[in-house]
Amino acid sequence: MSRFFNNQQVELLAPAGTFEIFKKVIQSGADAVYFGGKILNMRMHRKDYNFTNEEIVEAVKIAHSLDKKVYITVNNLFGQQDLKDAENYLRFLERVQVDALIIQDFSIFEFIKTLNLNLNLHSSVMMNVHNLETIKTLKNLGITRVVASREIDLKTIKTLYSQTNMEFEYFVHGDMCVVHGAQCLYSGMLFGKSSNRGHCMKPCRWNFKIKKDGFVYDTKYPMAVKDMCMYEHIPELIEAGVVSFKIEGRMRDSEYLLKLINYYSDAIDRYINDPICYDRKKHFSYIYENRKRDLSTAYAFGKPGIKNINRRYEGTGKFYSHGKVFSKPIEEFELTGTRINEIKHTLNKNTTSSKKPIISVKVNSYEQAKAALAEDVDTVYLSGDVFQPDKPFNKNEILELTKNKKNTKIYLGLPRMMFEQDFSKYNHLLTNNQLNIDGLLVTNLGALHKFKNLNLDLVGDYCLNIYNQKAANFYKKQGLSTATLSVEAPLLDAAETIKHSPIPMEMIVHGSPVVMYLEHDLYENLNIYKPIGKENNLHTNNKVLVLVDDKGYEHPVFRDNQGRNHIILYKDLCYLPILKELNNNGLNRFRIEGCHYNVEELIKIIRTYKCAIDDLTQCENLFKNFSPTYAGFTFGAFQFN
């Protein structure tokens, strides 16, 4: 089944959660269907969903007999057991002759090379593809289609399509996430159920009030975004160069899907048949009347702001086929003596010789950087996403820091989201190393590709989600010298990755990584709502916006100079009592994620960790006298094995 407009293919891509749903959907107006097997995909909540291998074989036969395509989602991050399962599964998918795999974990490139597999690859939305350099790199790696970042508008898609001739897939209908692709880490750290591994517990859809500057705002579900609906914009999608129109819904029932698919199919056919007299609104009333959430075009035509937030049925569970709300607020796990002993016992089973660890510190301001240099830390990372009210590091500040760095190495951090103007600016500054820095803290594949020939050391940041040793090996081949371990990795996966990684691994051992990274600006609520009361923040400066959940826990939200929001843990991540055991397992690089601390707090933390690495046998004693800066201490994902 093929459709074309001006010789450009137009594909309607439909979801199926079970084989029974597939058998109905494949007979609809869809050109292709995507679904997952029983392993290695992003919809793992329900055991009665997803396809057995036998069902995959039958589904491919049925689809191909109808001249339709099947794409298999192999789109989660791989833990150690997944690495063991992946080889046979990928060989099986090659034998079945599926039309493409939708992937997230870069370890798949390693499997394909070592196993000599012939598989067509599409990059998942979880790769957060948003710039030209990333697309060029993926194309060179063999990717034939990218699922664009949800935050990319159609105007940008059109530009990128014209520059690369890459196939673009774009979500046109269904459940959307408020957080950038693969940049929501909170579910994994709070529940041990990673949003990057198919188990997201959707903390973004909790009910939150907002507090800032001593005032309380009754916002209600401020991160619960509306469902995407591009039904009225088929012409704009085609004009932008979108090849595949993707409907979200692998957890939806067949009745809901069939009507929706056929309405979109009819709209595409009508536009192709008569683009001059095309009726955009035919059948839209049915789609609207049968919606669950309210509908939005999200970022397709620009940043939607607060109008993208949904209230309809939030908190009721009416959106999901199992009829449940995914989760309710819980406290971040407090670090306990029992868990410390459990971790020590686990790590002591497999020790290796190790050298003295080094300390790196990520900083948000010139004053923090000077303090870190004065404390003689080994490495300073200058953040590329600076939290307000601080300003991004200017050239004179960086030159002053590098002039006075002594034995400390200074790395310039890059922003997570980098568009063409960002590449132009950084390329201008970095050519001929005008900044005299030692290296870059790399946040996306495109930047790694762009800057790997500048003779600078390249360290991969935690937002690359390097979850296993094969992914680390992939990034080594791309030019990284060091990789930061995914903060979602639970204890056993982390230990195995550190042990087997072909490049040194760094781990955040103190502070707070960003657990939700949003283009959506929560600070906008302050311009919409009036305060309902006065109340100071419990643990954070009143100038910082906090989301207050139904249990009263306050989640700090920092706004960077691009207006993007960074939600962090409200307890300090603290691995101080287990540093010796981590070092004995081969971890030699300890990072303090310090952007949210004031200078005095940061100095105290640095001094404590420097004492620890000078004598790792004293870690527990140091911990006993070490008080938290905020609401307490947590192990994050290390709470889980």
Side-chain angles (χ1 to χ4, degrees):
M1 183 174 178
S2 299
R3 302 184 235 216
F4 293 89
F5 186 88
N6 281 333
N7 297 317
Q8 176 186 314
Q9 182 183 355
V10 180
E11 173 189 271
L12 181 59
L13 177 57
T18 69
F19 186 54
E20 292 304 311
I21 294 173
F22 169 84
K23 286 189 289 186
K24 297 175 182 177
V25 167
I26 200 65
Q27 300 293 337
S28 72
D31 305 289
V33 180
Y34 70 101
F35 54 82
K38 290 294 185 180
I39 58 174
L40 309 183
N41 83 80
M42 287 290 292
R43 292 291 185 273
M44 301 297 290
H45 279 290
R46 293 184 58 175
K47 292 182 179 179
D48 57 329
Y49 269 55
N50 296 313
F51 289 49
T52 65
N53 284 4
E54 293 75 18
E55 288 171 339
I56 292 174
V57 171
E58 188 63 24
V60 172
K61 288 180 181 177
I62 294 171
H64 288 177
S65 73
L66 297 170
D67 196 26
K68 297 187 179 186
K69 294 181 178 180
V70 165
Y71 307 143
I72 305 295
T73 56
V74 190
N75 58 343
N76 65 348
L77 294 181
F78 292 177
Q80 298 302 313
Q81 183 58 50
D82 298 323
L83 291 177
K84 297 174 184 177
D85 295 337
E87 180 173 335
N88 288 335
Y89 188 53
L90 292 173
R91 287 187 187 277
F92 161 73
L93 294 175
E94 182 191 43
R95 288 197 304 272
V96 176
Q97 294 185 316
V98 299
D99 295 286
L101 308 186
I102 303 172
I103 67 168
Q104 176 187 185
D105 197 307
F106 285 100
S107 65
I108 288 183
F109 292 108
E110 296 293 296
F111 279 110
I112 285 176
K113 184 175 181 180
T114 57
L115 301 176
N116 195 29
L117 299 177
N118 181 23
L119 287 164
N120 189 25
L121 301 178
H122 297 173
S123 76
S124 167
V125 71
M126 302 304 285
M127 281 193 182
N128 201 28
V129 176
H130 62 276
N131 60 56
L132 175 63
E133 293 296 333
T134 297
I135 295 170
K136 286 162 57 176
T137 306
L138 291 174
K139 195 168 188 177
N140 289 336
L141 289 166
I143 292 288
T144 60
R145 178 186 294 181
V146 297
V147 185
S149 167
R150 287 176 291 249
E151 291 75 19
I152 299 301
D153 60 42
L154 292 181
K155 182 178 179 181
T156 304
I157 295 282
K158 184 174 183 178
T159 301
L160 293 172
Y161 172 69
S162 67
Q163 291 174 311
T164 63
N165 202 32
M166 173 65 83
E167 287 189 6
F168 276 88
E169 188 171 299
Y170 198 80
F171 280 101
V172 298
H173 201 99
D175 187 0
M176 292 290 103
C177 181
V178 72
V179 182
H180 278 284
Q183 301 304 310
C184 185
L185 312 175
Y186 201 32
S187 181
M189 300 187 77
L190 190 60
F191 296 101
K193 296 181 180 294
S194 167
S195 60
N196 293 308
R197 289 173 46 75
H199 294 281
C200 184
M201 300 301 288
K202 296 186 179 289
C204 58
R205 292 196 178 271
W206 293 344
N207 187 21
F208 294 99
K209 290 184 174 66
I210 280 178
K211 286 166 58 177
K212 189 180 185 296
D213 296 322
F215 294 102
V216 182
Y217 300 83
D218 189 18
T219 46
K220 297 188 185 301
Y221 304 101
M223 292 193 291
V225 294
K226 296 176 180 178
D227 278 359
M228 175 65 120
C229 179
M230 292 292 288
Y231 177 82
E232 296 180 287
H233 301 286
I234 302 298
E236 288 78 15
L237 288 162
I238 293 174
E239 179 65 21
V242 174
V243 166
S244 182
F245 294 17
K246 186 172 191 174
I247 294 174
E248 184 278 333
R250 285 200 285 138
M251 302 294 287
R252 301 287 194 177
D253 59 53
S254 58
E255 181 182 3
Y256 169 88
L257 288 173
L258 288 172
K259 291 180 179 178
L260 190 64
I261 293 164
N262 287 329
Y263 284 142
Y264 269 89
S265 177
D266 173 72
I268 293 169
D269 285 341
R270 287 188 293 105
Y271 182 68
I272 291 173
N273 182 59
D274 187 357
I276 303 298
C277 295
Y278 171 64
D279 180 3
R280 294 173 181 263
K281 293 190 175 293
K282 184 180 180 182
H283 298 136
F284 178 72
S285 60
Y286 172 85
I287 293 173
Y288 182 80
E289 288 164 6
N290 289 275
R291 73 198 187 282
K292 297 293 179 71
R293 298 186 182 95
D294 278 324
L295 305 175
S296 168
T297 56
Y299 287 82
F301 302 104
K303 196 168 180 176
I306 207 164
K307 67 181 181 181
N308 198 34
I309 298 304
N310 182 64
R311 298 287 178 79
R312 180 181 170 86
Y313 294 151
E314 287 299 337
T316 66
K318 289 189 177 184
F319 318 113
Y320 314 115
S321 55
H322 51 64
K324 298 177 181 178
V325 176
F326 274 74
S327 68
K328 296 181 180 179
I330 64 171
E331 183 179 6
E332 292 175 6
F333 280 101
E334 186 69 25
L335 196 158
T336 65
T338 299
R339 185 56 184 161
I340 291 172
N341 291 332
E342 289 172 351
I343 292 175
K344 285 177 175 286
H345 176 72
T346 298
L347 293 177
N348 284 333
K349 291 179 182 178
N350 186 20
T351 59
T352 183
S353 59
S354 188
K355 57 186 179 182
K356 181 180 176 180
I358 66 171
I359 291 180
S360 59
V361 182
K362 190 175 182 182
V363 297
N364 193 67
S365 68
Y366 180 61
E367 289 71 25
Q368 280 186 324
K370 286 195 298 182
L373 288 179
E375 296 301 318
D376 198 28
V377 301
D378 298 285
T379 306
V380 172
Y381 299 129
L382 309 178
S383 177
D385 292 307
V386 172
F387 301 159
Q388 296 175 348
D390 293 316
K391 301 292 184 184
F393 293 91
N394 64 50
K395 184 176 181 179
N396 288 337
E397 289 174 338
I398 296 171
L399 289 173
E400 189 66 22
L401 291 169
T402 55
K403 183 175 71 175
N404 297 301
K405 66 180 182 177
K406 297 180 182 177
N407 295 320
T408 300
K409 291 184 177 181
I410 295 182
Y411 289 67
L412 180 62
L414 299 173
R416 293 198 196 196
M417 292 291 283
M418 293 185 69
F419 296 99
E420 304 326 301
Q421 190 176 24
D422 299 305
F423 279 99
S424 177
K425 292 175 183 177
Y426 280 91
N427 188 63
H428 175 72
L429 282 174
L430 294 172
T431 300
N432 301 320
N433 199 2
Q434 297 179 48
L435 302 178
N436 199 31
I437 55 176
D438 296 284
L440 298 174
L441 185 63
V442 179
T443 54
N444 64 88
L445 181 64
L448 176 57
H449 177 261
K450 177 70 175 179
F451 301 127
K452 67 181 179 181
N453 296 320
L454 292 180
N455 199 30
L456 292 168
D457 191 36
L458 303 175
V459 174
D461 206 356
Y462 66 92
C463 56
L464 294 179
N465 288 330
I466 298 173
Y467 202 92
N468 59 65
Q469 59 270 21
K470 282 189 175 290
N473 194 48
F474 166 83
Y475 274 107
K476 177 184 179 182
K477 293 176 181 177
Q478 301 306 307
L480 286 190
S481 65
T482 302
T484 308
L485 186 69
S486 166
V487 297
E488 282 192 302
L491 180 64
L492 296 178
D493 280 336
E496 285 297 301
T497 302
I498 292 165
K499 178 181 177 182
H500 297 292
S501 173
I503 56 176
M505 298 299 295
E506 181 165 284
M507 181 183 289
I508 296 171
V509 297
H510 198 93
S512 179
V514 173
V515 294
M516 291 188 191
Y517 173 64
L518 294 76
E519 199 73 21
H520 178 69
D521 187 4
L522 290 159
Y523 282 68
E524 188 181 347
N525 286 279
L526 307 179
N527 301 324
I528 304 296
Y529 296 97
K530 293 182 179 179
I532 61 170
K534 292 186 176 182
E535 187 179 320
N536 291 328
N537 293 350
L538 293 176
H539 307 287
T540 312
N541 188 298
N542 275 346
K543 293 186 179 298
V544 177
L545 183 150
V546 295
L547 295 169
V548 187
D549 64 39
D550 287 342
K551 294 287 184 69
Y553 303 122
E554 297 185 357
H555 309 258
V557 184
F558 290 86
R559 190 182 195 222
D560 69 24
N561 285 268
Q562 299 298 319
R564 298 182 181 116
N565 284 193
H566 305 248
I567 302 177
I568 67 171
L569 299 169
Y570 58 82
K571 292 183 179 178
D572 285 336
L573 195 68
C574 180
Y575 289 177
L576 179 60
I578 58 169
L579 293 185
K580 180 176 182 293
E581 288 71 25
L582 288 171
N583 186 238
N584 287 342
N585 275 259
L587 184 69
N588 302 315
R589 298 177 67 102
F590 299 155
R591 189 204 293 190
I592 296 167
E593 193 72 10
C595 290
H596 59 297
Y597 296 121
N598 64 41
V599 172
E600 292 74 22
E601 292 165 346
L602 185 61
I603 290 172
K604 172 190 169 185
I605 293 164
I606 291 171
R607 289 177 178 175
T608 300
Y609 276 81
K610 286 201 70 177
C611 288
I613 65 167
D614 285 339
D615 184 358
L616 289 170
T617 65
Q618 295 300 309
C619 286
E620 284 202 76
N621 289 332
L622 288 166
F623 177 68
K624 289 175 183 177
N625 298 309
F626 190 44
S627 57
T629 306
Y630 291 101
F633 288 133
T634 182
F635 272 142
F638 268 28
Q639 186 64 35
F640 311 99
N641 283 336

